[in-house]
Amino acid sequence: MTSHSAVVIGAGIGGIATAAHLAKRGMHVTVFEKNQRPGGRCDHFIRDGHRFDTGPTLLIMPQVYEEAFAAFGVSMHDVLDLREVDPTYRLIFDDGSQLALTSDMKSMYNQLEGFEVGGFQGFLRYMEEGHRHYDVAMERLVERDFRTAAEFFSLGNLPLLYQLKPLVPHYRHMAAYFKEPRLKAAFTFQDVYMGLSPFEAPATFSMMPYTELAHGVWYPQGGMNQVVEVLVELAREAGVEFVYDTAVDHIDINGAGARGLVLDDGHRVEANAVVANADLPYVYQNLLPKDGLAERMTHKRFSCSVISFFWGVDKTYSELGPHTLFLSDQYRENFERISQGLSLPEDPCLYIHAPSRLDPSAAPAGEDTLIAIVPVCHLDETGEQDWCSIRDNARQAVFKRLATLGIHDLKAHLKFEVNYTPLSWCKRYNLMKGATHGLSHTLTQLGYLRPRNRHPRYHNVYFVGASTHPGTGVPTALVSARQVADRVMDDMAV
């Protein structure tokens, strides 16, 4: 064993980036990944010439990416071929009305005033608040690694209760800007990125629609997995070794620390530091000694899940843009049924992605690659949910929504379908309860109250990823990776 070595469990975005940071600082790093390729939830597959991103389908918060790549000595724009998406989304409501979210303020004025007199001024005020929330939250919460309670619960942070409105539910707060329910939905659906209901999410998350319109929504040519490929190459150049098709049986604990890993085949790997990029609740339940911490983890709030359909289609559908969202008039019921673990409503909110609108290589010429995503509840404790029935109902809901756009023949033109349910997310990526966004981002699971990036008992066991601080998503994984690498190096220096 070298004097300074680390092992990383899982080759998700957070694990790859952490490994690259540590290797650049002189550590010998090995990443063990149970699947055949890197990416974790930012995965992809290709079938019959159709390319699918199975996780994120767009790049937001580009400044975070720019800072992350700059730390590795490269420019984001040199390593990623990015195309700006504008309008970012086309929103379609039950009455057939539509709203294209765009940075074109004249277009936004005309559209919003058509929904509600004064809607544009409400939008401008909401964007101003989102700007404040973004700047303050990034500087004071996301970018900070709270290592002690005193750092978080300080007099200096008291103004955040006023500045970020964390105690006010996001949807309820929209009454300060809009009367029209459709507009309230149009600027809160982004909470689903955090696996949250807008009726539970703090108003802090107005930062999300702000960053999309102010900083842009982008699409890397080749799909979001290009981010993974670039990070892997940077990590390899720094000296990181990747080992695929290799699952970890457990973290080898000795007293107050870890000696390394034990792989599924019984092989032991020694290391000075262990970084777990696997889903945090899974790590506590399956890779660490059972104790009260593991039990408490199961009682935390988990995010929702999704059913995803991946369709190869033998024709194109010009009716669909790159990002289309159907928002139901039964907006509250949609999210209540998800949070209460109930079956799908009759008209669920859902999202359709057509990547070939942005990158023709995503589908064969004259054909389409379509991804449909329907938010659903996560796995319950009983195991009695009928996911085959729920999946079939979700599929029919997608067909029903597409018919409102004049698309009646999709079923007849499907070459193939691949679908993921919460059971799939659980099996493929070891996501406890199939919760696609890890632990939920409720008020009591944010900031210092979110699980920390170092184990409270084992001094050299670290965590990076969706269920740790600062939270879920590719941008936050990149931030988390830097924070974990800093923590490891600081601990090594003591």
Side-chain angles (χ1 to χ4, degrees):
M1 182 179 71
T2 63
S3 57
H4 296 287
S5 63
V7 288
V8 179
I9 306 170
I13 293 285
I16 301 166
T18 303
H21 280 300
L22 292 175
K24 282 183 69 68
R25 301 184 199 187
M27 294 191 73
H28 175 73
V29 187
T30 305
V31 179
F32 293 93
E33 167 58 51
K34 81 178 189 73
N35 291 324
Q36 296 178 346
R37 56 185 179 265
R41 277 166 272 196
C42 195
D43 202 355
H44 79 295
F45 69 91
I46 299 173
R47 180 168 170 181
D48 295 346
H50 298 267
R51 188 184 66 242
F52 301 90
D53 284 319
T54 60
T57 57
L58 41 79
L59 188 152
I60 60 173
M61 302 171 69
Q63 293 98 324
V64 176
Y65 288 83
E66 289 174 350
E67 293 172 5
F69 284 115
F72 297 130
V74 299
S75 166
M76 174 183 75
H77 296 284
D78 288 341
V79 294
L80 293 175
D81 182 6
L82 296 174
R83 177 173 174 180
E84 187 168 12
V85 185
D86 194 355
T88 55
Y89 309 94
R90 179 166 60 134
L91 309 181
I92 302 176
F93 303 97
D94 285 354
D95 64 357
S97 59
Q98 300 188 17
L99 174 62
L101 297 183
T102 173
S103 60
D104 182 339
M105 289 298 101
K106 183 178 180 180
S107 174
M108 288 298 286
Y109 175 84
N110 292 332
Q111 293 184 88
L112 293 173
E113 291 298 312
F115 280 91
E116 175 183 330
V117 175
F120 183 69
Q121 286 303 314
F123 164 74
L124 292 180
R125 291 188 291 110
Y126 182 62
M127 288 295 101
E128 288 176 3
E129 179 185 78
H131 188 175
R132 294 193 301 272
H133 284 181
Y134 182 88
D135 287 348
V136 173
M138 291 300 293
E139 178 184 354
R140 303 287 297 278
L141 290 178
V142 176
E143 296 280 359
R144 289 196 60 188
D145 177 18
F146 299 101
R147 298 188 180 184
T148 67
E151 292 179 3
F152 184 70
F153 298 105
S154 65
L155 290 176
N157 279 344
L158 280 178
L160 296 181
L161 293 173
Y162 168 76
Q163 294 170 338
L164 295 178
K165 299 180 173 62
L167 303 179
V168 182
H170 195 183
Y171 189 87
R172 190 175 78 192
H173 183 58
M174 297 304 293
Y177 303 98
F178 307 108
K179 295 179 182 178
E180 169 58 56
R182 289 171 297 178
L183 295 186
K184 294 178 182 179
F187 296 105
T188 57
F189 74 84
Q190 295 89 345
D191 295 342
V192 176
Y193 295 165
M194 317 299 290
L196 274 178
S197 160
F199 300 92
E200 295 181 297
T204 311
F205 289 135
S206 63
M207 63 185 283
M208 299 309 296
Y210 162 76
T211 186
E212 289 182 342
L213 290 175
H215 306 142
V217 168
W218 303 81
Y219 184 83
Q221 298 299 286
M224 280 297 292
N225 191 253
Q226 286 301 302
V227 176
V228 176
E229 296 297 327
V230 170
L231 287 174
V232 167
E233 183 59 30
L234 292 171
R236 283 182 172 144
E237 290 175 359
V240 176
E241 179 185 359
F242 289 86
V243 182
Y244 300 111
D245 289 314
T246 303
V248 172
D249 183 77
H250 65 272
I251 298 171
D252 187 14
I253 296 296
N254 181 34
R259 292 179 293 202
L261 305 176
V262 177
L263 306 180
D264 262 4
D265 62 4
H267 181 69
R268 292 181 179 272
V269 181
E270 295 185 1
N272 300 104
V274 174
V275 180
N277 183 217
D279 187 43
L280 183 69
Y282 173 85
V283 174
Y284 270 94
Q285 285 293 312
N286 297 277
L287 303 185
L288 287 168
K290 290 292 197 317
D291 58 16
L293 292 173
E295 175 63 23
R296 286 199 294 273
M297 192 66 65
T298 64
H299 296 296
K300 290 185 177 294
R301 288 282 303 277
F302 285 74
S303 71
C304 68
S305 188
V306 299
I307 294 177
S308 296
F309 299 99
F310 306 99
W311 289 322
V313 187
D314 66 10
K315 63 175 286 188
T316 59
Y317 289 97
S318 59
E319 299 91 338
L320 291 172
H323 302 292
T324 305
L325 282 108
F326 293 88
L327 297 179
S328 172
D329 286 350
Q330 305 303 315
Y331 194 61
R332 182 185 295 272
E333 180 190 356
N334 261 261
F335 288 101
E336 286 180 347
R337 294 185 74 85
I338 290 172
S339 62
Q340 294 171 13
L342 303 175
S343 59
L344 284 176
E346 183 176 352
D347 293 306
C349 298
L350 55 92
Y351 162 68
I352 309 289
H353 177 43
S356 61
R357 306 299 178 274
L358 303 168
D359 181 358
S361 70
E367 300 186 354
D368 239 343
T369 293
L370 300 179
I371 301 171
I373 299 177
V374 184
V376 295
C377 60
H378 56 60
L379 301 173
D380 66 17
E381 304 297 333
T382 67
E384 296 178 356
Q385 293 156 303
D386 185 351
W387 286 108
C388 288
S389 175
I390 297 172
R391 177 202 60 201
D392 293 344
N393 290 338
R395 185 190 298 107
Q396 291 306 312
V398 176
F399 290 158
K400 179 180 176 181
R401 291 291 198 180
L402 291 176
T404 66
L405 299 181
I407 299 175
H408 300 280
D409 62 348
L410 176 60
K411 188 174 182 180
H413 289 279
L414 292 181
K415 296 167 61 180
F416 62 84
E417 173 186 291
V418 175
N419 60 72
Y420 289 2
T421 71
L423 293 170
S424 312
W425 300 112
C426 182
K427 180 179 180 179
R428 187 177 297 270
Y429 304 108
N430 288 337
L431 303 182
M432 184 169 286
K433 300 187 179 183
T436 47
H437 301 79
L439 294 179
S440 185
H441 294 72
T442 57
L443 182 61
T444 57
Q445 293 180 178
L446 286 174
Y448 182 77
L449 301 176
R450 197 164 184 80
R452 311 308 311 132
N453 58 27
R454 190 180 74 173
H455 196 283
R457 183 176 305 155
Y458 309 126
H459 65 85
N460 61 344
V461 175
Y462 305 86
F463 309 109
V464 61
S467 293
T468 60
H469 176 75
T472 193
V474 176
T476 44
L478 294 171
V479 173
S480 179
R482 175 179 50 78
Q483 293 175 347
V484 171
D486 288 345
R487 187 69 181 266
V488 171
M489 299 309 297
D490 288 349
D491 290 347
M492 290 290 177
V494 174

